[in-house]
Amino acid sequence: MKFHSKFYGWTTNYISPEIIILSKLFENNDFDKDNMIILLKNKLEESLYVGYVNSTNHKILTQLVDYVYNNKMQFLISLIDGEIFKTDIYSMGITLYYIFNYLVDTPINLELDKETNKLVSLIYNMTLIDYRSRFNIYKCTNSDYFNI
């Protein structure tokens, strides 16, 4: 079994964008950026909701793919230096998103509801597309949601 195929051992909706990119890098060192953006958009909208990748998030997604494509070694080093743990933050954010939507009558929209609900704001920051901007564990535990 190839190393990169082990990344897909988890439930696919919980895999963060950078891990999908990483697995594609191991699979094919010269991935097509346009196809990668389409793949990530589809995965994000499957995990969250259709329309999640609006024009702003599409720009962030494109910048992330461009960053990884142009800085492969720096990207890998940043993961080794601790950024890899933000994938766990992403997965927990997706889990909280599903639980929250299960408990409320109307599904949440992360973009719209983040300003009025502390839990949605936390989920939003835990599931940011670009891992470099995503909350780490310290920021999660010190968020407004836990400071009641």
Side-chain angles (χ1 to χ4, degrees), residues 24-135:
K24 291 298 180 186
L25 277 173
F26 278 112
E27 187 177 297
N28 179 3
N29 195 29
D30 193 28
F31 65 83
D32 179 87
K33 290 194 286 185
D34 293 331
N35 286 337
M36 178 60 69
I37 291 167
I38 292 168
L39 170 71
L40 291 171
K41 176 188 181 296
N42 292 339
K43 284 287 186 192
L44 287 167
E45 292 193 346
E46 179 184 315
S47 297
L48 296 165
Y49 48 86
V50 174
Y52 176 72
V53 182
N54 56 23
S55 59
T56 302
N57 284 338
H58 189 273
K59 183 179 178 182
I60 293 168
L61 192 58
T62 302
Q63 290 171 345
L64 176 63
V65 171
D66 283 342
Y67 169 76
V68 171
Y69 189 82
N70 295 322
N71 303 286
K72 292 174 188 161
M73 189 54 67
Q74 186 177 352
F75 168 67
L76 291 172
I77 290 169
S78 74
L79 293 178
I80 292 167
D81 283 345
E83 295 292 330
I84 191 72
F85 296 109
K86 289 186 177 181
T87 61
D88 296 327
I89 300 296
Y90 181 88
S91 297
M92 180 53 74
I94 294 294
T95 302
L96 291 172
Y97 174 81
Y98 288 147
I99 291 169
F100 190 85
N101 276 314
Y102 180 79
L103 296 175
V104 297
D105 293 332
T106 55
I108 58 171
N109 181 312
L110 293 174
E111 293 289 332
L112 299 176
D113 299 331
K114 69 182 179 188
E115 302 299 327
T116 59
N117 185 302
K118 291 178 182 179
L119 179 58
V120 175
S121 177
L122 176 62
I123 294 169
Y124 171 82
N125 285 296
M126 292 173 76
T127 58
L128 288 173
I129 292 170
D130 192 332
Y131 71 98
R132 297 169 294 176
S133 301
R134 190 178 307 140
F135 272 15

Side-chain angles (χ1 to χ4, degrees), residues 9-26:
W10 302 294
T11 305
T12 58
N13 287 6
Y14 296 84
I15 299 174
S16 62
E18 66 274 12
I19 294 298
I20 293 171
I21 294 171
L22 182 61
S23 69
K24 291 298 180 186
L25 277 173
F26 278 112

